[in-house]
Amino acid sequence: VILSNFNHKELLFKFLIIGDYGVGKTAIVRRYTEGKFSSNYKITIGADFAIKTLDWDPHTKINLQLWDIAGHERFGYMTRVYYKYAVAAALVFDISRVATFQSVKKWLSDLREKVTLQDGSNIPIVLLANKCDIHHAAIPTEQIIKFCKENKIGKWFVTSAKENMNIGRESGVNFDRLEHNP
Ligand code: GTP
Ligand code: MG
């Protein structure tokens, strides 16, 4: 709680967006926070930040602090610093590039090794199969479902930052109502 009075509460949550380079993390954040998309690829160096404010209920405002981590960071030593105090994460891969799905496992273990909630439990993770507008899904749905089951990922969605599919509350996904891992 960062601010509270008789009938109003304001909460701040740190939310990570991770996954290989070029999968669309920055595009997803931009679509979610600004409603825009660009097809130019501008690589993220280190981490970018954005805030999404949600009116949760008439008495509660939620500020989601989105940490958009550079895909190349997996090879760096900074992720531990970036992950600190995060309470949830979106792990993104590109549905048209198998290698980015294979990397999901590495991102997942990096994350689970380096960040937990205060009570020691894993942070909730949503898996996003992005670029579903490219009609060439290289990874079968069953494989994604199996992976989620085996790795205790509670939720996954196919998304498109380009076509605005499953990005915001408007388009279906509740980034703001993440379920905890089973
Ligand atoms: P790093 O910053 O290097 O980690 O990459 P990133 O994951 O932030 O990727 P970024 O959002 O910059 O997107 C990479 C490229 O994919 C850009 O050219 C985007 O325009 C494109 N892209 C992102 N999302 C989509 C999508 O949903 N569909 C399509 N067709 N292209 C997308
Ligand atoms: Mg980026």
Short mmCIF file of all heavy atoms in Angstrom, two decimals, residues 18 69 75 90 92 98 102 106 139 155 158 167 179:
data_model
loop_
_atom_site.label_atom_id
_atom_site.label_comp_id
_atom_site.label_asym_id
_atom_site.label_seq_id
_atom_site.Cartn_x
_atom_site.Cartn_y
_atom_site.Cartn_z
N ILE A 18 9.31 -10.68 -19.51
CA ILE A 18 10.57 -11.31 -19.90
C ILE A 18 10.37 -12.25 -21.08
O ILE A 18 9.25 -12.61 -21.42
CB ILE A 18 11.23 -12.06 -18.70
CG1 ILE A 18 10.27 -13.14 -18.16
CG2 ILE A 18 11.63 -11.10 -17.60
CD1 ILE A 18 10.92 -14.05 -17.12
N ILE A 69 12.09 -6.12 -19.70
CA ILE A 69 13.51 -6.51 -19.62
C ILE A 69 14.04 -6.88 -21.01
O ILE A 69 13.39 -7.63 -21.74
CB ILE A 69 13.68 -7.73 -18.68
CG1 ILE A 69 12.93 -7.53 -17.35
CG2 ILE A 69 15.16 -8.05 -18.46
CD1 ILE A 69 13.43 -6.45 -16.46
N PHE A 75 21.82 -13.19 -20.90
CA PHE A 75 23.24 -13.50 -20.89
C PHE A 75 24.01 -12.56 -19.99
O PHE A 75 25.22 -12.63 -19.88
CB PHE A 75 23.78 -13.48 -22.32
CG PHE A 75 22.98 -14.37 -23.22
CD1 PHE A 75 22.04 -13.86 -24.10
CD2 PHE A 75 23.14 -15.74 -23.14
CE1 PHE A 75 21.29 -14.70 -24.91
CE2 PHE A 75 22.39 -16.60 -23.94
CZ PHE A 75 21.46 -16.07 -24.82
N ALA A 90 5.03 -11.71 -16.89
CA ALA A 90 4.57 -12.26 -18.16
C ALA A 90 5.81 -12.78 -18.86
O ALA A 90 6.81 -12.07 -19.00
CB ALA A 90 3.89 -11.20 -19.01
N VAL A 92 7.10 -14.14 -22.34
CA VAL A 92 6.64 -14.04 -23.73
C VAL A 92 7.52 -14.85 -24.67
O VAL A 92 8.74 -14.88 -24.52
CB VAL A 92 6.66 -12.55 -24.18
CG1 VAL A 92 6.01 -12.40 -25.56
CG2 VAL A 92 5.98 -11.63 -23.16
N VAL A 98 10.40 -21.24 -33.01
CA VAL A 98 10.54 -22.32 -32.04
C VAL A 98 11.60 -22.02 -30.97
O VAL A 98 11.41 -22.29 -29.79
CB VAL A 98 10.91 -23.65 -32.75
CG1 VAL A 98 11.10 -24.77 -31.74
CG2 VAL A 98 9.82 -24.03 -33.73
N GLN A 102 11.68 -22.58 -26.83
CA GLN A 102 12.67 -23.40 -26.13
C GLN A 102 13.36 -22.61 -25.02
O GLN A 102 13.76 -23.18 -24.00
CB GLN A 102 13.70 -23.96 -27.13
CG GLN A 102 13.10 -25.07 -28.00
CD GLN A 102 13.90 -25.35 -29.25
OE1 GLN A 102 14.77 -24.57 -29.64
NE2 GLN A 102 13.61 -26.45 -29.90
N LYS A 106 14.41 -21.68 -19.77
CA LYS A 106 15.57 -21.01 -19.17
C LYS A 106 15.14 -19.73 -18.45
O LYS A 106 15.61 -19.43 -17.35
CB LYS A 106 16.61 -20.68 -20.22
CG LYS A 106 17.21 -21.91 -20.87
CD LYS A 106 18.09 -21.53 -22.06
CE LYS A 106 18.31 -22.72 -22.97
NZ LYS A 106 18.53 -22.33 -24.36
N ILE A 139 4.57 -23.78 -32.95
CA ILE A 139 4.47 -24.60 -31.74
C ILE A 139 3.03 -25.06 -31.54
O ILE A 139 2.13 -24.24 -31.40
CB ILE A 139 4.96 -23.82 -30.51
CG1 ILE A 139 6.40 -23.35 -30.73
CG2 ILE A 139 4.89 -24.66 -29.24
CD1 ILE A 139 6.54 -21.87 -30.83
N LYS A 155 -1.61 -19.76 -16.21
CA LYS A 155 -2.38 -19.18 -17.31
C LYS A 155 -1.51 -18.95 -18.53
O LYS A 155 -0.34 -18.60 -18.40
CB LYS A 155 -2.92 -17.81 -16.88
CG LYS A 155 -4.07 -17.88 -15.91
CD LYS A 155 -5.36 -17.64 -16.63
CE LYS A 155 -6.54 -17.94 -15.74
NZ LYS A 155 -7.77 -18.11 -16.50
N VAL A 158 -2.72 -16.76 -26.27
CA VAL A 158 -2.12 -16.32 -27.54
C VAL A 158 -2.42 -14.83 -27.65
O VAL A 158 -3.51 -14.38 -27.31
CB VAL A 158 -2.67 -17.06 -28.78
CG1 VAL A 158 -2.15 -18.48 -28.86
CG2 VAL A 158 -4.18 -17.07 -28.78
N ILE A 167 -4.49 -8.38 -25.27
CA ILE A 167 -3.49 -7.55 -24.61
C ILE A 167 -4.06 -6.85 -23.38
O ILE A 167 -3.56 -7.00 -22.27
CB ILE A 167 -2.87 -6.51 -25.57
CG1 ILE A 167 -2.19 -7.22 -26.75
CG2 ILE A 167 -1.88 -5.61 -24.83
CD1 ILE A 167 -0.99 -8.08 -26.39
N GLU A 179 -4.00 -15.18 -11.85
CA GLU A 179 -4.22 -16.21 -10.85
C GLU A 179 -2.88 -16.74 -10.38
O GLU A 179 -1.91 -16.75 -11.11
CB GLU A 179 -5.03 -17.35 -11.46
CG GLU A 179 -6.47 -16.93 -11.63
CD GLU A 179 -7.28 -17.98 -12.34
OE1 GLU A 179 -6.74 -19.08 -12.57
OE2 GLU A 179 -8.43 -17.68 -12.65
#
